Amino acid sequence: MLTSLAIRNVVLIEALDLEFGAGLSVLTGETGAGKSILLDSLGLALGARADSGLVRNGEAQASVVAAFEPPAASTRVAQLLADNGIDMEPGEPLLIRRLVKADGGSRAFVNDQPCSAALLRDIGGSLVEIHGQHDDRGLLNPRGHRALLDSYGRCDAGAVATAHAGWRAAANALAAARETVDNAARDRDYLTHAVEELRKFAPEPGEEATLAEERATMQKGARLTDDLSAVSDCLTGSDGGLAQLRQAARRLDRIAGEEPLLNAVLEALDRAVVEAGEAEDRLAEAAEALSFDPARLDSIETRLFDLRGLARKHQVQPDDLAALRDEMAAKLAAIEGGEEHIAALEKDVAGKADAYRAAAQALSAERQLAAGRLDAAVAGELAPLKLDAARFRTVVAQLDEGQWSAQGMDRVEFEISTNPGAPFAPLAKIASGGELSRFILALKVALAERGGADTLIFDEIDRGVGGAVADAIGERLSRLAQSNQILVVTHSPQVAARGASHMLIAKSSDGTVTRTGVHALSEAERREEIARMLSGAEITAEARAQAERLLEA
């Protein structure tokens, strides 16, 4: 519910602070007093287009702050705030602020947190509905009629949405499978050859590194073989160094007893023989480790060359050839088993389509019943509003299959016929503004208890009517105000008399500056204003007496 509105420097409004309560609030004033400025200001706070022409002459910017009661956690407004990271302190009001600069541009804030104009429109549309003779939104827009009927009839589209999601997922899976099979079929011959080639070659992950390492070891052995052989010749054999050392040691052993110093020489020779023997053993081990088979080396080099060649051919790394083989084999398997797989998917799609149709048809039946109840409810409101010759109907028609959605298979539109024998036409096609206003009121009364915004604003909805019709309009507005906050801009004394509160919009001038102001009327002032509305510029005693009767009634 709207609790207050603060306006600064909007056209003729210099500074205005308004408080609003529950029930029906009426706003009256002479033509040109500035009632449209007041509604434009509120519209600005609700996300309407920011026009720099709204800024009061000579001022740098205009501002509007609208305060609302804290939204309940289950409402769409609360969800929008949460989804966009806008904090709400428990028990604190929801504040919407809009600034418009004289040189162009605007800024929007919700609870002092910046937000986009689009989000502001979304939030504002859930908080307040504005209805007037030229309103092309809300009840006049066929795009919203299905949601309004569902809300009125409490038609739950949840099962339809679930069935639609399942159907679409199955259809997407079928399309993907068909595309995969079609693409693979075009490459059948290539895939067959490539898979056979890779299976025959049998590459393994890590094989390239293993082969390269083994080849490097063998190539090193080939380079060192001659040197190792020469070293071995120096050590071994009858003329080798080790044989010479042993021969020298034997001779020295025979004569060592002749001279004590020769014993030391013999010990050194013995150590040399032992060390040379160990060197001979290590040399043999090294030769064994570096030995290679030329045939094996040739085989490794051939395998490595072919492995890298296949990798270049398929534009992958050698280690990825095995995975590529498996991937290509899977594509071939998809071709071979594709028809069976696609047939299963087609069956799944058909089943889910049938489930969607069943759920959507059940929802359509609910909507048809709700449409009948709504038509009867609206019809009951028409005669008192001097629309007894008019007829209202809710059209529930099936859409083409390509337009079916998570909301079902129906197109819903409200239509009216204003004269006997005249064809039905959309609400927005009604030529008479007065008739259209009363149709909107009748429909809104019928829909009143089925959700929607808490605050409803009717802008001169009683234009062009009077007497009993104006009284009927006032009675219905008063009835709506039992479940909603209603603000009505009116020229009708019958409507004004129904208000729980009454505000007078007036324009004043000091000769140089013109201002629009709003004054909350006392009971006495209210009686005078209704009398003025009845009699015009000169308020008569009869007008005051009639105003008193209206207020008492």
Side-chain angles (χ1 to χ4, degrees):
M1 184 181 78
L2 178 67
T3 57
S4 67
L5 186 66
I7 305 171
R8 298 292 184 272
N9 300 320
V10 176
V11 194
L12 297 179
I13 298 176
E14 185 174 32
L16 194 59
D17 294 288
L18 303 176
E19 301 290 332
F20 298 95
L24 176 61
S25 298
V26 297
L27 295 91
T28 63
E30 296 182 356
T31 300
K35 295 185 291 294
S36 63
I37 299 174
L38 192 64
L39 293 183
D40 286 344
S41 299
L42 179 57
L44 192 63
L46 299 176
R49 179 177 174 273
D51 185 350
S52 60
L54 292 172
V55 181
R56 182 177 172 83
N57 186 36
E59 300 294 337
Q61 69 177 20
S63 69
V64 181
V65 179
F68 295 85
E69 289 184 337
S74 60
T75 62
R76 183 170 182 272
V77 173
Q79 187 62 52
L80 284 171
L81 296 175
D83 291 345
N84 289 275
I86 296 176
D87 299 326
M88 277 294 301
E89 293 294 331
E92 291 297 315
L94 173 62
L95 296 178
I96 296 178
R97 181 161 56 102
R98 189 82 180 275
L99 306 177
V100 181
K101 296 181 179 179
D103 57 0
S106 69
R107 299 179 67 191
F109 302 85
V110 176
N111 286 355
D112 285 329
Q113 298 173 61
C115 74
S116 67
L119 176 58
L120 197 62
R121 283 192 294 273
D122 211 359
I123 295 174
S126 298
L127 291 169
V128 179
E129 291 180 21
I130 300 177
H131 300 289
Q133 295 186 64
H134 306 292
D135 185 17
D136 59 354
R137 300 158 294 163
L139 298 180
L140 297 189
N141 189 345
R143 294 180 182 177
H145 290 177
R146 184 170 60 194
L148 286 170
L149 178 63
D150 285 352
S151 177
Y152 175 81
R154 291 184 168 87
C155 304
D156 186 1
V160 174
T162 300
H164 184 266
W167 181 24
R168 297 277 27 106
N172 291 337
L174 174 60
R178 283 174 171 164
E179 182 180 4
T180 299
V181 169
D182 290 344
N183 291 340
R186 287 194 296 270
D187 299 329
R188 182 194 295 268
D189 292 340
Y190 165 73
L191 288 172
T192 301
H193 169 75
V195 169
E196 181 60 28
E197 181 182 42
L198 288 170
R199 280 177 176 167
K200 184 177 180 180
F201 190 81
E204 296 293 339
E207 183 180 3
E208 181 193 26
T210 300
L211 291 173
E213 183 179 0
E214 187 176 356
R215 182 186 65 171
T217 300
M218 288 189 173
Q219 288 174 335
K220 182 170 63 173
R223 291 196 308 271
L224 298 177
T225 295
D226 291 343
D227 291 335
L228 291 177
S229 179
V231 172
S232 179
D233 289 344
C234 290
L235 283 176
T236 61
S238 58
D239 295 329
L242 184 56
Q244 295 292 328
L245 283 174
R246 285 171 176 164
Q247 184 179 356
R250 284 194 299 271
R251 288 185 177 181
L252 188 58
D253 183 56
R254 289 195 298 267
I255 64 173
E258 302 295 331
E259 173 58 48
L261 292 175
L262 293 179
N263 286 324
V265 175
L266 181 59
E267 289 175 0
L269 279 176
D270 287 340
R271 290 194 300 272
V273 169
V274 172
E275 294 289 339
E278 291 180 356
E280 183 181 39
D281 293 340
R282 300 290 86 76
L283 182 62
E285 291 175 2
E288 178 65 24
L290 293 172
S291 66
F292 71 97
D293 180 357
R296 173 60 181 164
L297 177 59
D298 183 63
S299 173
I300 289 173
E301 289 184 330
T302 299
R303 175 76 178 177
L304 194 56
F305 178 82
D306 292 341
L307 180 68
R308 290 171 174 171
L310 273 176
R312 287 193 299 271
K313 176 180 177 180
H314 293 289
Q315 298 182 343
V316 298
Q317 294 299 316
D319 285 350
D320 296 331
L321 283 171
L324 178 64
R325 174 197 61 208
D326 296 340
E327 180 183 338
M328 290 179 167
K331 289 183 178 180
L332 271 178
I335 296 174
E336 295 165 0
E339 292 302 322
E340 181 179 346
H341 180 56
I342 287 175
L345 289 176
E346 287 174 340
K347 184 177 180 180
D348 185 46
V349 170
K352 286 185 167 60
D354 289 342
Y356 171 81
R357 289 188 185 92
Q361 286 167 358
L363 179 60
S364 293
E366 289 183 42
R367 285 171 173 160
Q368 293 287 358
L369 292 174
R373 295 197 303 272
L374 179 60
D375 293 350
V378 174
E381 300 292 336
L382 296 179
L385 296 174
K386 204 176 179 180
L387 292 169
D388 45 315
R391 292 172 297 157
F392 172 88
R393 73 179 183 186
T394 305
V395 176
V396 181
Q398 184 169 313
L399 294 164
D400 293 336
E401 184 171 337
Q403 296 176 288
W404 294 356
S405 69
Q407 285 72 47
M409 55 174 62
D410 303 315
R411 174 184 66 84
V412 176
E413 186 168 4
F414 301 146
E415 294 184 343
I416 57 174
S417 169
T418 55
N419 296 297
F424 280 90
L427 281 175
K429 300 294 184 182
I430 296 300
S432 166
E435 287 179 328
L436 179 57
S437 298
R438 282 174 278 153
F439 262 112
I440 290 174
L441 179 58
L443 184 55
K444 195 62 194 177
V445 169
L447 294 169
E449 297 181 359
R450 296 296 189 268
D454 289 338
T455 300
L456 308 177
I457 297 176
F458 290 92
D459 181 16
E460 298 187 3
I461 199 168
D462 51 6
R463 180 186 290 272
V465 300
V469 177
D471 188 60
I473 291 174
E475 189 275 330
R476 277 150 182 79
L477 289 171
S478 181
R479 194 193 314 167
L480 272 179
Q482 294 175 9
S483 57
N484 297 83
Q485 180 189 41
I486 307 295
L487 277 64
V488 57
V489 176
T490 181
H491 289 284
S492 168
Q494 291 91 340
V495 173
R498 296 273 184 173
S501 63
H502 191 151
M503 298 181 185
L504 176 64
I505 304 172
K507 188 164 57 177
S508 62
S509 175
D510 60 6
T512 58
V513 178
T514 301
R515 298 179 178 85
T516 289
V518 179
H519 173 58
L521 300 182
S522 66
E523 284 299 315
E525 291 170 331
R526 186 179 181 192
R527 187 178 300 107
E528 282 295 295
E529 171 62 9
I530 293 175
R532 181 198 64 77
M533 296 171 72
L534 286 164
S535 64
E538 184 178 347
I539 302 176
T540 64
E542 292 80 2
R544 288 189 175 93
Q546 179 63 20
E548 185 71 32
R549 284 192 291 272
L550 287 174
L551 287 169
E552 288 177 353

